[in-house]
Amino acid sequence: MTAGLARLSATSVEFTGVRGGEAPFSWGQLAIWRLTRWLDDDDPYFNMPWVLPVYGRRDLDTVLRALRVLVERHETLRTTFEETPGGLVQRVACEGRFTVEVYDAEGAKPTTAAREISTRLAATAFDYASELPFRCAVVTVDGRPRAMALTLSHLAVDGGALDVLARDWRDLLAGGEPPAPAWQPMDQAAFEREGPGAARGERTLRHWRAVLERAPLSMFDFPRTTPEEPRFVKVGMESAATAAAAEVLAARWSISTASVLTTASAVLLGTLTGHDEVVMQLVVANRHDPRVAAMAGSAVQDGIFVLDLPGGTFADAARAGHRQALTAYRNAQYHPYRMMALREEVGRERGGPVDLSAYFNDTRTVGHWPHLPAVEPPGDPAAIATLTERTRTFHVGSWPEVDATALFATGTATNTCELYLTADTAYLPRPTAYALLRGVESLLVASVAGDVPLGEVAGLCGIVPVERPSVHGQNGSSAGSPGGGGARAVQDLGAQGVREVAGGHV
């Protein structure tokens, strides 16, 4: 623990909410629950450390009141989760209490101390059936609260929910009374069980079936190589040039920067693996419904993205990729267990398991980078190319098991494009992973200067296509192909940096 950080006390806070009760899980909750079943009961992977600043000069009573009201407003913070003989149940407590520890930073930066405490609070798994899905502590300096350290269960919140809670936190600390939430996870679960919500889920299953019946069974249908130990690596790139180029191209083509990055990743992956049709899962926030946008709860699920690359230029691919991404976003709300059954059924029909182990996850909260270095003249190809001199690549970590073969993800920096790739080195050796990241930069920077034919991507980006078996059946993938994929796709909120697969804002 940080030198000088001292625990002063623990305070019990009582709460009384407007509503209690129980309901089946929502689809977003089910998506996370299914992933937790892969872990040991004492595995804390799905714990999410989080730090909130204490705005202004607030005393401890004001901070505790704000926290109490936050818990009373949002049912997800008063919810336990249990697997019963009758099925999975979420139970919302109408009243109860929770404990708030109080620390004094004693020389440490309050946010640094809070991050350390939140990490410690996250080190133990939640007892979903009996424990409220958050733990918290206040960090003080000279007796004044300066930061709130929390750890939350991913069953209770996702990235969008954290944004909702952060807005309320600021208002409550200032003495405001935000409008009462109109939509809670129990309401979402009811909506999904019947009527328009259930009908949407059925449409989504039909869409996925149509896509899975024609998409490649695997992007990685080629022989594996000897992997590293640990097998899975995460590498990163910080590139202001990529960000500047993506903004220029998005404006030029009337698409989003997310679509530019997604399509570039798909094009590089297709170029490497020799596939003219690329299939990936996109992590979708599922907050386009205003009711869900204001809901604190878990709503993230995966959408399916398929991009045909028969020819043309990267500009053509990016416009098509934008349309396909929008389709993926519209079709990412469904019953997770029914979707797994569907994938197994399609796999049996096509003669092999459906591998959806390539992902793209945009975790940014805004669709641009507001603090990029100035480019003069604006949008100038040569000036943007000069920014590549600042680019750096680096190794983030290595782990023995990750349920993804290739996971591209952005970071949240606003002054550069943070792009990460978690790779299975049995199929994507570490040098290849770095080449894919730098390839995204090279492709976007070159596209600012002029159209790039897809046939020239490999040479431009330094990608060496894999040697694939010469004979493949329509439905077949080689014996070296990874199986399944997507069984443990989780939201990457920086919780542990281990076994991450996906999640965040779309």
Side-chain angles (χ1 to χ4, degrees):
M1 185 167 290
T2 299
L5 186 61
R7 184 178 183 273
L8 300 179
S9 63
T11 300
S12 180
V13 178
E14 296 185 356
F15 63 83
T16 302
V18 173
R19 179 176 70 166
E22 66 177 49
F25 280 27
S26 69
W27 292 339
Q29 291 167 337
L30 275 176
I32 300 300
W33 178 266
R34 180 176 61 83
L35 308 181
T36 69
R37 298 305 87 195
W38 172 76
L39 304 174
D40 295 332
D41 288 341
D42 59 352
D43 192 319
Y45 176 66
F46 284 97
N47 294 352
M48 296 160 44
W50 194 41
V51 172
L52 284 170
V54 174
Y55 304 98
R57 299 184 65 84
R58 312 299 177 192
D59 59 23
L60 182 59
D61 286 345
T62 299
V63 171
L64 295 180
R65 175 197 172 276
L67 185 59
R68 172 181 59 80
V69 176
L70 194 70
V71 172
E72 291 174 342
R73 286 171 55 80
H74 296 289
E75 293 177 3
T76 196
L77 299 179
R78 299 185 271 118
T79 300
T80 54
F81 306 89
E82 187 174 4
E83 189 168 14
T84 72
L88 293 167
V89 174
Q90 56 172 312
R91 292 193 175 96
V92 178
C94 189
E95 58 185 28
R97 65 180 60 204
F98 58 90
T99 298
V100 183
E101 297 179 309
V102 181
Y103 287 83
D104 194 289
E106 295 189 352
K109 291 183 178 180
T111 53
T112 299
R115 281 194 293 269
E116 184 172 327
I117 293 169
S118 65
T119 299
R120 178 179 61 78
L121 293 173
T124 303
F126 282 96
D127 184 335
Y128 298 125
S130 64
E131 184 180 2
L132 292 179
F134 72 96
R135 301 170 186 144
C136 56
V138 176
V139 175
T140 65
V141 175
D142 296 329
R144 181 164 63 89
R146 297 291 301 277
M148 175 68 70
L150 299 108
T151 285
L152 303 101
S153 167
H154 203 346
L155 272 171
V157 296
D158 58 19
L162 295 183
D163 291 340
V164 172
L165 296 176
R167 289 193 296 269
D168 275 6
W169 175 249
R170 180 188 291 271
D171 290 345
L172 292 170
L173 276 179
E177 293 290 343
W183 200 251
Q184 306 271 10
M186 286 202 301
D187 303 310
Q188 182 67 19
F191 176 74
E192 293 164 350
R193 288 197 303 274
E194 58 186 22
R200 179 174 59 196
E202 294 299 325
R203 290 194 301 271
T204 296
L205 291 172
R206 291 194 294 270
H207 169 78
W208 276 66
R209 170 175 275 281
V211 172
L212 293 176
E213 286 176 343
R214 69 175 179 84
L217 275 179
S218 175
M219 292 299 299
F220 308 99
D221 51 354
F222 49 86
R224 55 179 288 177
T225 60
T226 302
E228 293 186 18
E229 182 60 42
R231 175 170 166 173
F232 295 85
V233 301
K234 180 179 180 180
V235 296
M237 175 178 72
E238 292 177 354
S239 169
T242 297
E247 290 192 349
V248 170
L249 297 175
R252 179 185 298 173
W253 299 332
S254 299
I255 63 176
S256 67
T257 58
S259 292
V260 172
L261 294 174
T262 302
T263 305
S265 301
V267 166
L268 267 294
L269 189 60
T271 299
L272 173 73
T273 63
H275 283 278
D276 291 334
E277 189 174 34
V278 179
V279 58
M280 304 175 74
Q281 292 195 81
L282 307 186
V283 181
V284 182
N286 282 328
R287 290 182 177 268
H288 44 271
D289 183 327
R291 297 172 300 182
V292 180
M295 181 189 77
S298 286
V300 168
Q301 293 187 258
D302 295 326
I304 191 165
F305 171 87
V306 179
L307 181 64
D308 293 319
L309 299 170
T313 66
F314 177 62
D316 300 325
R319 294 187 182 99
H322 183 66
R323 294 191 295 270
Q324 291 302 314
L326 293 177
T327 299
Y329 300 156
R330 287 193 294 267
N331 291 277
Q333 290 175 283
Y334 48 84
H335 193 295
Y337 287 95
R338 291 190 61 191
M339 180 61 74
M340 293 305 297
L342 171 64
R343 286 175 54 178
E344 292 173 1
E345 181 181 346
V346 172
R348 289 192 297 270
E349 293 171 355
R350 295 188 61 185
V354 177
D355 166 29
L356 299 179
S357 62
Y359 293 86
F360 188 91
N361 179 29
D362 186 6
T363 71
R364 299 173 298 157
T365 56
V366 294
H368 63 287
W369 296 269
H371 303 117
L372 284 178
V375 173
E376 296 295 341
D380 179 65
I384 291 175
T386 300
L387 292 177
T388 62
E389 298 171 3
R390 309 184 187 187
T391 299
R392 76 178 190 99
T393 56
F394 48 92
H395 175 241
V396 177
S398 299
W399 303 282
E401 188 170 9
V402 175
D403 192 31
T405 306
L407 163 63
F408 293 89
T410 64
T412 58
T414 59
N415 63 338
T416 187
C417 176
E418 294 174 327
L419 188 63
Y420 300 98
L421 175 57
T422 302
D424 180 350
T425 59
Y427 297 93
L428 305 176
R430 188 184 303 209
T432 300
Y434 280 120
L436 289 170
L437 292 181
R438 292 304 296 251
V440 170
E441 178 186 71
S442 298
L443 177 56
L444 298 192
V445 171
S447 295
V448 173
D451 286 343
V452 176
L454 293 178
E456 298 179 6
V457 169
L460 171 70
C461 299
I463 299 298
V464 179
V466 299
E467 294 185 7
R468 301 174 67 219
S470 59
V471 178
H472 285 276
Q474 179 181 0
N475 298 331
S477 58
S478 71
S481 173
R488 298 188 297 280
V490 302
Q491 184 175 27
D492 176 16
L493 294 168
Q496 302 292 328
V498 185
R499 291 196 304 270
E500 66 171 318
V501 177
H505 303 263
V506 176

